[in-house]
Amino acid sequence: MPFKSTPLNLHSMRAADRDGHRFLTPTSSYGEDLKRIVLVVDETIRTRGKLSRVVSTPRGELVEYTPLGRRFADLLRIPLKELEYQFPNHEFSPLYIVFKRATRHLREAHPFHTVERFDEAIERLRRYGSGTVLKRRLDSMKRGERATGAQVRDLCAHLRAERSRVMALRIDLGLHVIWAQGADLVVPPVDLAEMQGYRSQLIRWLDRGPMSKYLLAYIWKLEWGIEKGYHIHLAVMLDGNRLRKDSIIGNIIGRVWARDITGEKGMYYNCNRNKQRYTRCALGTLHRSDAEQWGCLEQSLRYLTKSDFFLRLQVPEKTRTFGIGGLHAAKLRAMRKQIPPVHSL
């Protein structure tokens, strides 16, 4: 395995407000840190061999890391207590839990740990990762992610086959947050039951409101953040042959949420207003012949299904935090029911 001693470049996710201004928030930054931990730990437990070594140079002994070892060492800088503070209502990935357990002594000594301690932590992590309990838990989570991802893939394929043009919208729906000068952030005083009521009204409006005659499908995901409280990520697919001006339609949906559904408590961010910010854009009108755009759409929609692998909102049993609906989603479910089971073929 090649070794490389160059430093790893760090970057943080930046959030955006409803006007498109970019700013760094603790939740968005620590969310990216959590993803890095899970992905690097997942890669580490699937590899073998040392990730660091001591080399002698004219200036003395230096520590060199493999590229993976460098990324792992960089995780030790992340303040886990502050990270966990951002997500008090969530269940963390099992890979985050084993990282925390395996590196406790290493993190306490960082940055003055020895190569021996670093190697011991890596081996401890790999032992945890080889256990049957962790493997079963990860397999279960990945099966759920694959099943939901298959629904998204089938829906995109069905929409593309049925419509020559599809309008894709992405809107984030939340509630007003109070920032008091010299005081802590005050999240909206809305509990889960109230947010579920707002969500039900939103789905009813999509299914039966004035936009319903153009509606093809929608996907929603309920999340909670210490800065925003409960909020919803919404993707809506409309008939692109009959509609234009996607950013305006996104604003219409956002205003219905902000004013009519939540009674002026709500706020929204219309991603279609800032399509130029996305290097691989799957927003606006998608043409059936544009395979790259449809691939981007499927990838962006599957992203909503993958977040539970890193962090899962803790809610009462049978509470829905994710849903797919609309005319074509219903058609797709009906088609699946007509397919005979494999053992009867």
Side-chain angles (χ1 to χ4, degrees):
M1 186 180 293
F3 285 81
K4 188 175 181 180
S5 56
T6 55
L8 179 71
N9 291 325
L10 298 176
H11 64 279
S12 297
M13 175 70 78
R14 290 183 180 272
D17 63 16
R18 62 181 292 178
D19 296 319
H21 301 120
R22 310 291 280 183
F23 59 93
L24 185 67
T25 69
T27 298
S28 57
S29 176
Y30 285 121
E32 289 301 301
D33 288 339
L34 176 62
K35 290 178 186 178
R36 285 198 296 136
I37 291 173
V38 171
L39 294 175
V40 171
V41 169
D42 187 40
E43 184 178 352
T44 302
I45 62 178
R46 290 186 286 105
T47 60
R48 293 292 177 266
K50 293 183 179 298
L51 302 185
S52 65
R53 67 178 180 182
V54 177
V55 295
S56 297
T57 71
R59 294 179 294 171
E61 293 185 335
L62 296 176
V63 178
E64 285 188 348
Y65 296 95
T66 66
L68 176 58
R70 172 62 63 182
R71 285 187 284 137
F72 191 94
D74 190 67
L75 300 181
L76 303 175
R77 305 177 186 177
I78 299 173
L80 300 189
K81 287 185 178 180
E82 294 180 21
L83 185 153
E84 292 173 8
Y85 173 78
Q86 301 295 324
F87 307 103
N89 297 332
H90 292 75
E91 174 188 353
F92 288 87
S93 165
L95 293 174
Y96 171 82
I97 302 301
V98 297
F99 169 79
K100 185 178 176 180
R101 288 176 56 191
T103 62
R104 181 168 65 89
H105 297 299
L106 193 62
R107 286 182 287 105
E108 290 172 353
H110 185 77
F112 303 106
H113 60 263
T114 62
V115 171
E116 289 76 15
R117 276 200 171 187
F118 185 85
D119 291 342
E120 288 171 4
I122 296 296
E123 291 308 310
R124 192 180 305 116
L125 182 72
R126 286 170 173 164
R127 286 198 302 272
Y128 291 155
S130 64
T132 56
V133 174
L134 179 63
K135 285 183 177 179
R136 282 199 299 266
R137 176 70 176 130
L138 291 176
D139 287 343
S140 175
M141 294 176 69
K142 289 178 180 179
R143 277 197 303 272
E145 180 190 311
R146 285 194 296 268
T148 310
Q151 293 182 55
V152 170
R153 183 184 63 247
D154 293 347
L155 179 62
C156 287
H158 185 63
L159 291 174
R160 187 179 179 187
E162 290 286 321
R163 289 290 189 273
S164 59
R165 293 184 181 89
V166 171
M167 178 181 290
L169 310 175
R170 269 282 287 112
I171 311 160
D172 294 332
L173 308 169
L175 300 166
H176 283 296
V177 178
I178 301 171
W179 290 85
Q181 188 172 5
D184 291 335
L185 170 70
V186 181
V187 299
V190 173
D191 59 18
L192 177 60
E194 186 175 349
M195 191 64 175
Q196 286 178 302
Y198 292 150
R199 184 210 65 204
S200 297
Q201 291 181 57
L202 171 69
I203 298 305
R204 192 178 305 116
W205 185 85
L206 289 171
D207 286 334
R208 304 176 188 176
M211 205 68 67
S212 61
K213 57 186 174 182
Y214 309 109
L215 179 67
L216 302 179
Y218 55 79
I219 297 176
W220 60 268
K221 178 70 179 291
L222 175 66
E223 294 185 349
W224 188 94
I226 198 167
E227 296 170 332
K228 296 188 289 185
Y230 289 106
H231 56 279
I232 295 171
H233 299 289
L234 176 69
V236 181
M237 277 65 73
L238 303 171
D239 189 343
N241 290 318
R242 303 170 64 190
L243 291 175
R244 298 291 185 272
K245 305 293 185 181
D246 57 292
S247 62
I248 293 177
I249 295 173
N251 283 340
I252 292 173
I253 296 174
R255 287 167 186 164
V256 167
W257 166 267
R259 299 173 185 175
D260 303 334
I261 293 177
T262 64
E264 303 289 347
K265 293 181 183 178
M267 60 185 298
Y268 69 95
Y269 178 71
N270 178 8
C271 300
N272 288 64
R273 285 180 57 188
N274 295 282
K275 294 193 293 288
Q276 70 278 5
R277 295 187 181 275
Y278 301 94
T279 54
R280 302 183 72 235
C281 184
L283 301 175
T285 301
L286 279 63
H287 298 263
R288 178 187 290 159
S289 59
D290 195 330
E292 182 179 358
Q293 266 195 320
W294 278 98
C296 292
L297 177 64
E298 181 182 335
Q299 185 179 20
S300 65
L301 295 179
R302 290 194 65 179
Y303 178 80
L304 295 178
T305 73
K306 288 184 176 183
S307 59
D308 280 354
F309 183 69
F310 304 100
L311 196 66
R312 179 172 297 181
L313 177 63
Q314 291 182 317
V315 293
E317 191 176 358
K318 297 184 179 179
T319 299
R320 296 180 65 199
T321 60
F322 177 85
I324 300 178
L327 175 64
H328 280 258
K331 284 184 179 179
L332 198 56
R333 286 193 293 269
M335 290 169 56
R336 282 179 170 175
K337 289 180 180 179
Q338 296 172 9
I339 299 175
V342 175
H343 58 74
S344 67
L345 297 177

PDB file of all heavy atoms in Angstrom, residues 101-120:
ATOM      1  N   ARG A 101     -15.581   4.153  20.313  1.00  0.00           N
ATOM      2  CA  ARG A 101     -15.055   3.188  21.298  1.00  0.00           C
ATOM      3  C   ARG A 101     -13.590   2.844  21.030  1.00  0.00           C
ATOM      4  O   ARG A 101     -12.770   2.805  21.947  1.00  0.00           O
ATOM      5  CB  ARG A 101     -15.893   1.913  21.270  1.00  0.00           C
ATOM      6  CG  ARG A 101     -17.290   2.057  21.864  1.00  0.00           C
ATOM      7  CD  ARG A 101     -18.076   0.774  21.708  1.00  0.00           C
ATOM      8  NE  ARG A 101     -17.377  -0.357  22.301  1.00  0.00           N
ATOM      9  CZ  ARG A 101     -17.736  -1.632  22.137  1.00  0.00           C
ATOM     10  NH1 ARG A 101     -18.775  -1.919  21.364  1.00  0.00           N
ATOM     11  NH2 ARG A 101     -17.069  -2.606  22.724  1.00  0.00           N
ATOM     12  N   ALA A 102     -13.267   2.603  19.769  1.00  0.00           N
ATOM     13  CA  ALA A 102     -11.921   2.121  19.426  1.00  0.00           C
ATOM     14  C   ALA A 102     -10.864   3.196  19.559  1.00  0.00           C
ATOM     15  O   ALA A 102      -9.679   2.889  19.778  1.00  0.00           O
ATOM     16  CB  ALA A 102     -11.919   1.556  18.006  1.00  0.00           C
ATOM     17  N   THR A 103     -11.236   4.465  19.451  1.00  0.00           N
ATOM     18  CA  THR A 103     -10.234   5.543  19.422  1.00  0.00           C
ATOM     19  C   THR A 103     -10.249   6.412  20.672  1.00  0.00           C
ATOM     20  O   THR A 103      -9.616   7.466  20.686  1.00  0.00           O
ATOM     21  CB  THR A 103     -10.462   6.448  18.186  1.00  0.00           C
ATOM     22  OG1 THR A 103     -11.764   7.057  18.287  1.00  0.00           O
ATOM     23  CG2 THR A 103     -10.383   5.655  16.894  1.00  0.00           C
ATOM     24  N   ARG A 104     -10.946   5.985  21.715  1.00  0.00           N
ATOM     25  CA  ARG A 104     -11.084   6.853  22.891  1.00  0.00           C
ATOM     26  C   ARG A 104      -9.729   7.285  23.441  1.00  0.00           C
ATOM     27  O   ARG A 104      -9.472   8.473  23.627  1.00  0.00           O
ATOM     28  CB  ARG A 104     -11.885   6.136  23.983  1.00  0.00           C
ATOM     29  CG  ARG A 104     -12.101   6.997  25.234  1.00  0.00           C
ATOM     30  CD  ARG A 104     -13.135   6.353  26.132  1.00  0.00           C
ATOM     31  NE  ARG A 104     -12.680   5.079  26.656  1.00  0.00           N
ATOM     32  CZ  ARG A 104     -11.979   4.925  27.793  1.00  0.00           C
ATOM     33  NH1 ARG A 104     -11.648   5.998  28.498  1.00  0.00           N
ATOM     34  NH2 ARG A 104     -11.607   3.737  28.205  1.00  0.00           N
ATOM     35  N   HIS A 105      -8.853   6.339  23.716  1.00  0.00           N
ATOM     36  CA  HIS A 105      -7.535   6.696  24.269  1.00  0.00           C
ATOM     37  C   HIS A 105      -6.692   7.460  23.259  1.00  0.00           C
ATOM     38  O   HIS A 105      -5.922   8.357  23.628  1.00  0.00           O
ATOM     39  CB  HIS A 105      -6.793   5.431  24.725  1.00  0.00           C
ATOM     40  CG  HIS A 105      -7.490   4.702  25.827  1.00  0.00           C
ATOM     41  ND1 HIS A 105      -7.724   5.279  27.053  1.00  0.00           N
ATOM     42  CD2 HIS A 105      -8.013   3.450  25.887  1.00  0.00           C
ATOM     43  CE1 HIS A 105      -8.351   4.409  27.849  1.00  0.00           C
ATOM     44  NE2 HIS A 105      -8.550   3.294  27.147  1.00  0.00           N
ATOM     45  N   LEU A 106      -6.842   7.118  22.000  1.00  0.00           N
ATOM     46  CA  LEU A 106      -6.078   7.799  20.950  1.00  0.00           C
ATOM     47  C   LEU A 106      -6.501   9.258  20.841  1.00  0.00           C
ATOM     48  O   LEU A 106      -5.670  10.155  20.726  1.00  0.00           O
ATOM     49  CB  LEU A 106      -6.298   7.071  19.625  1.00  0.00           C
ATOM     50  CG  LEU A 106      -5.362   7.434  18.466  1.00  0.00           C
ATOM     51  CD1 LEU A 106      -3.930   7.090  18.808  1.00  0.00           C
ATOM     52  CD2 LEU A 106      -5.795   6.693  17.202  1.00  0.00           C
ATOM     53  N   ARG A 107      -7.793   9.520  20.911  1.00  0.00           N
ATOM     54  CA  ARG A 107      -8.284  10.893  20.814  1.00  0.00           C
ATOM     55  C   ARG A 107      -7.880  11.723  22.030  1.00  0.00           C
ATOM     56  O   ARG A 107      -7.615  12.921  21.930  1.00  0.00           O
ATOM     57  CB  ARG A 107      -9.808  10.900  20.651  1.00  0.00           C
ATOM     58  CG  ARG A 107     -10.276  10.477  19.267  1.00  0.00           C
ATOM     59  CD  ARG A 107     -11.781  10.532  19.096  1.00  0.00           C
ATOM     60  NE  ARG A 107     -12.454   9.452  19.807  1.00  0.00           N
ATOM     61  CZ  ARG A 107     -13.132   9.590  20.929  1.00  0.00           C
ATOM     62  NH1 ARG A 107     -13.231  10.788  21.500  1.00  0.00           N
ATOM     63  NH2 ARG A 107     -13.727   8.562  21.513  1.00  0.00           N
ATOM     64  N   GLU A 108      -7.830  11.088  23.198  1.00  0.00           N
ATOM     65  CA  GLU A 108      -7.412  11.800  24.399  1.00  0.00           C
ATOM     66  C   GLU A 108      -5.958  12.236  24.320  1.00  0.00           C
ATOM     67  O   GLU A 108      -5.574  13.280  24.851  1.00  0.00           O
ATOM     68  CB  GLU A 108      -7.608  10.904  25.626  1.00  0.00           C
ATOM     69  CG  GLU A 108      -9.083  10.665  25.971  1.00  0.00           C
ATOM     70  CD  GLU A 108      -9.253   9.634  27.066  1.00  0.00           C
ATOM     71  OE1 GLU A 108      -8.231   9.015  27.466  1.00  0.00           O
ATOM     72  OE2 GLU A 108     -10.392   9.435  27.536  1.00  0.00           O
ATOM     73  N   ALA A 109      -5.132  11.447  23.617  1.00  0.00           N
ATOM     74  CA  ALA A 109      -3.704  11.774  23.507  1.00  0.00           C
ATOM     75  C   ALA A 109      -3.386  12.639  22.289  1.00  0.00           C
ATOM     76  O   ALA A 109      -2.297  13.201  22.199  1.00  0.00           O
ATOM     77  CB  ALA A 109      -2.881  10.487  23.436  1.00  0.00           C
ATOM     78  N   HIS A 110      -4.322  12.736  21.345  1.00  0.00           N
ATOM     79  CA  HIS A 110      -4.055  13.479  20.100  1.00  0.00           C
ATOM     80  C   HIS A 110      -3.750  14.954  20.412  1.00  0.00           C
ATOM     81  O   HIS A 110      -4.385  15.564  21.269  1.00  0.00           O
ATOM     82  CB  HIS A 110      -5.285  13.388  19.188  1.00  0.00           C
ATOM     83  CG  HIS A 110      -5.092  14.012  17.853  1.00  0.00           C
ATOM     84  ND1 HIS A 110      -4.372  13.408  16.855  1.00  0.00           N
ATOM     85  CD2 HIS A 110      -5.511  15.213  17.352  1.00  0.00           C
ATOM     86  CE1 HIS A 110      -4.370  14.192  15.801  1.00  0.00           C
ATOM     87  NE2 HIS A 110      -5.049  15.301  16.074  1.00  0.00           N
ATOM     88  N   PRO A 111      -2.723  15.567  19.733  1.00  0.00           N
ATOM     89  CA  PRO A 111      -1.941  15.029  18.610  1.00  0.00           C
ATOM     90  C   PRO A 111      -0.620  14.376  19.024  1.00  0.00           C
ATOM     91  O   PRO A 111       0.273  14.241  18.207  1.00  0.00           O
ATOM     92  CB  PRO A 111      -1.677  16.289  17.781  1.00  0.00           C
ATOM     93  CG  PRO A 111      -1.501  17.357  18.828  1.00  0.00           C
ATOM     94  CD  PRO A 111      -2.464  17.014  19.943  1.00  0.00           C
ATOM     95  N   PHE A 112      -0.505  13.994  20.293  1.00  0.00           N
ATOM     96  CA  PHE A 112       0.771  13.462  20.782  1.00  0.00           C
ATOM     97  C   PHE A 112       0.750  11.942  20.913  1.00  0.00           C
ATOM     98  O   PHE A 112       1.495  11.372  21.695  1.00  0.00           O
ATOM     99  CB  PHE A 112       1.103  14.100  22.135  1.00  0.00           C
ATOM    100  CG  PHE A 112       1.157  15.608  22.094  1.00  0.00           C
ATOM    101  CD1 PHE A 112       0.138  16.357  22.658  1.00  0.00           C
ATOM    102  CD2 PHE A 112       2.194  16.256  21.457  1.00  0.00           C
ATOM    103  CE1 PHE A 112       0.174  17.745  22.615  1.00  0.00           C
ATOM    104  CE2 PHE A 112       2.238  17.645  21.409  1.00  0.00           C
ATOM    105  CZ  PHE A 112       1.215  18.384  21.983  1.00  0.00           C
ATOM    106  N   HIS A 113      -0.100  11.270  20.159  1.00  0.00           N
ATOM    107  CA  HIS A 113      -0.146   9.814  20.223  1.00  0.00           C
ATOM    108  C   HIS A 113       1.045   9.224  19.468  1.00  0.00           C
ATOM    109  O   HIS A 113       1.627   9.858  18.595  1.00  0.00           O
ATOM    110  CB  HIS A 113      -1.447   9.295  19.615  1.00  0.00           C
ATOM    111  CG  HIS A 113      -1.635   9.664  18.173  1.00  0.00           C
ATOM    112  ND1 HIS A 113      -2.380  10.738  17.769  1.00  0.00           N
ATOM    113  CD2 HIS A 113      -1.150   9.104  17.031  1.00  0.00           C
ATOM    114  CE1 HIS A 113      -2.363  10.831  16.453  1.00  0.00           C
ATOM    115  NE2 HIS A 113      -1.626   9.852  15.981  1.00  0.00           N
ATOM    116  N   THR A 114       1.372   7.994  19.793  1.00  0.00           N
ATOM    117  CA  THR A 114       2.472   7.300  19.129  1.00  0.00           C
ATOM    118  C   THR A 114       1.929   6.474  17.974  1.00  0.00           C
ATOM    119  O   THR A 114       0.724   6.219  17.879  1.00  0.00           O
ATOM    120  CB  THR A 114       3.186   6.362  20.112  1.00  0.00           C
ATOM    121  OG1 THR A 114       2.253   5.361  20.567  1.00  0.00           O
ATOM    122  CG2 THR A 114       3.717   7.144  21.318  1.00  0.00           C
ATOM    123  N   VAL A 115       2.834   6.042  17.102  1.00  0.00           N
ATOM    124  CA  VAL A 115       2.452   5.186  15.992  1.00  0.00           C
ATOM    125  C   VAL A 115       1.894   3.868  16.523  1.00  0.00           C
ATOM    126  O   VAL A 115       0.931   3.319  15.973  1.00  0.00           O
ATOM    127  CB  VAL A 115       3.661   4.935  15.067  1.00  0.00           C
ATOM    128  CG1 VAL A 115       3.335   3.864  14.034  1.00  0.00           C
ATOM    129  CG2 VAL A 115       4.069   6.215  14.375  1.00  0.00           C
ATOM    130  N   GLU A 116       2.477   3.379  17.617  1.00  0.00           N
ATOM    131  CA  GLU A 116       1.998   2.121  18.194  1.00  0.00           C
ATOM    132  C   GLU A 116       0.545   2.246  18.639  1.00  0.00           C
ATOM    133  O   GLU A 116      -0.275   1.359  18.397  1.00  0.00           O
ATOM    134  CB  GLU A 116       2.881   1.706  19.385  1.00  0.00           C
ATOM    135  CG  GLU A 116       4.277   1.241  19.008  1.00  0.00           C
ATOM    136  CD  GLU A 116       5.201   2.406  18.649  1.00  0.00           C
ATOM    137  OE1 GLU A 116       4.841   3.581  18.968  1.00  0.00           O
ATOM    138  OE2 GLU A 116       6.255   2.152  18.044  1.00  0.00           O
ATOM    139  N   ARG A 117       0.217   3.363  19.291  1.00  0.00           N
ATOM    140  CA  ARG A 117      -1.174   3.563  19.730  1.00  0.00           C
ATOM    141  C   ARG A 117      -2.112   3.710  18.532  1.00  0.00           C
ATOM    142  O   ARG A 117      -3.264   3.249  18.574  1.00  0.00           O
ATOM    143  CB  ARG A 117      -1.273   4.807  20.614  1.00  0.00           C
ATOM    144  CG  ARG A 117      -0.925   4.562  22.066  1.00  0.00           C
ATOM    145  CD  ARG A 117      -1.506   5.665  22.927  1.00  0.00           C
ATOM    146  NE  ARG A 117      -1.379   5.366  24.338  1.00  0.00           N
ATOM    147  CZ  ARG A 117      -1.928   6.098  25.297  1.00  0.00           C
ATOM    148  NH1 ARG A 117      -2.634   7.167  24.987  1.00  0.00           N
ATOM    149  NH2 ARG A 117      -1.804   5.767  26.560  1.00  0.00           N
ATOM    150  N   PHE A 118      -1.641   4.364  17.516  1.00  0.00           N
ATOM    151  CA  PHE A 118      -2.446   4.524  16.305  1.00  0.00           C
ATOM    152  C   PHE A 118      -2.745   3.159  15.689  1.00  0.00           C
ATOM    153  O   PHE A 118      -3.893   2.848  15.354  1.00  0.00           O
ATOM    154  CB  PHE A 118      -1.698   5.413  15.308  1.00  0.00           C
ATOM    155  CG  PHE A 118      -2.486   5.745  14.067  1.00  0.00           C
ATOM    156  CD1 PHE A 118      -3.376   6.810  14.056  1.00  0.00           C
ATOM    157  CD2 PHE A 118      -2.319   5.009  12.903  1.00  0.00           C
ATOM    158  CE1 PHE A 118      -4.097   7.131  12.901  1.00  0.00           C
ATOM    159  CE2 PHE A 118      -3.032   5.312  11.757  1.00  0.00           C
ATOM    160  CZ  PHE A 118      -3.928   6.376  11.752  1.00  0.00           C
ATOM    161  N   ASP A 119      -1.713   2.318  15.559  1.00  0.00           N
ATOM    162  CA  ASP A 119      -1.904   0.986  14.984  1.00  0.00           C
ATOM    163  C   ASP A 119      -2.825   0.134  15.855  1.00  0.00           C
ATOM    164  O   ASP A 119      -3.644  -0.633  15.342  1.00  0.00           O
ATOM    165  CB  ASP A 119      -0.549   0.288  14.822  1.00  0.00           C
ATOM    166  CG  ASP A 119       0.316   0.941  13.750  1.00  0.00           C
ATOM    167  OD1 ASP A 119      -0.247   1.688  12.918  1.00  0.00           O
ATOM    168  OD2 ASP A 119       1.540   0.718  13.752  1.00  0.00           O
ATOM    169  N   GLU A 120      -2.684   0.257  17.188  1.00  0.00           N
ATOM    170  CA  GLU A 120      -3.548  -0.505  18.097  1.00  0.00           C
ATOM    171  C   GLU A 120      -5.014  -0.104  17.923  1.00  0.00           C
ATOM    172  O   GLU A 120      -5.905  -0.961  17.932  1.00  0.00           O
ATOM    173  CB  GLU A 120      -3.112  -0.276  19.549  1.00  0.00           C
ATOM    174  CG  GLU A 120      -1.805  -0.941  19.916  1.00  0.00           C
ATOM    175  CD  GLU A 120      -1.316  -0.504  21.295  1.00  0.00           C
ATOM    176  OE1 GLU A 120      -2.058   0.265  21.962  1.00  0.00           O
ATOM    177  OE2 GLU A 120      -0.222  -0.931  21.692  1.00  0.00           O
TER     178      GLU A 120
END
